[in-house]
Amino acid sequence: MMSDLGFTFRRAKNGDVIVEHRAKTASTLRGDKARWFLQDMDGMDFESQQQEMARITGNYKRGNERQARNHPRNR
């Protein structure tokens, strides 16, 4: 099953890469970072691309969600 996290990316005319999450701009990569990103995307499958875009934008799970839910501050 494919894991679609809702990320897409597009290359602007000026060479920037715009990463979008559910049709809203999440991050803009410029210069060397944009070139590096495009090179990486060429060699990845769809799920890996989604994970990489989540990592770049900081929108990914950290593994402690279950613990945080039970914390007294969150009750």
Side-chain angles (χ1 to χ4, degrees), residues 5-10 16-30 37 49-60:
L5 301 176
F7 287 99
T8 59
F9 70 93
R10 60 186 168 89
D16 293 352
V17 174
I18 294 104
V19 179
E20 297 176 337
H21 184 250
R22 306 206 192 281
K24 293 184 180 180
T25 300
S27 184
T28 302
L29 306 173
R30 294 182 172 90
F37 175 80
Q49 287 180 345
Q50 292 290 303
Q51 291 296 321
E52 181 68 14
M53 286 184 276
R55 187 185 66 76
I56 286 172
T57 61
N59 186 10
Y60 57 95

Side-chain angles (χ1 to χ4, degrees), residues 31-71:
D32 290 337
K33 287 185 180 183
R35 284 188 290 279
W36 167 83
F37 175 80
L38 291 172
Q39 288 174 353
D40 277 357
M41 288 294 117
D42 285 340
M44 292 183 180
D45 63 351
F46 180 77
E47 288 183 37
S48 297
Q49 287 180 345
Q50 292 290 303
Q51 291 296 321
E52 181 68 14
M53 286 184 276
R55 187 185 66 76
I56 286 172
T57 61
N59 186 10
Y60 57 95
K61 293 188 176 190
R62 291 159 183 86
N64 62 352
E65 289 81 13
R66 184 171 293 171
Q67 293 172 354
R69 181 178 38 178
N70 296 327
H71 192 276

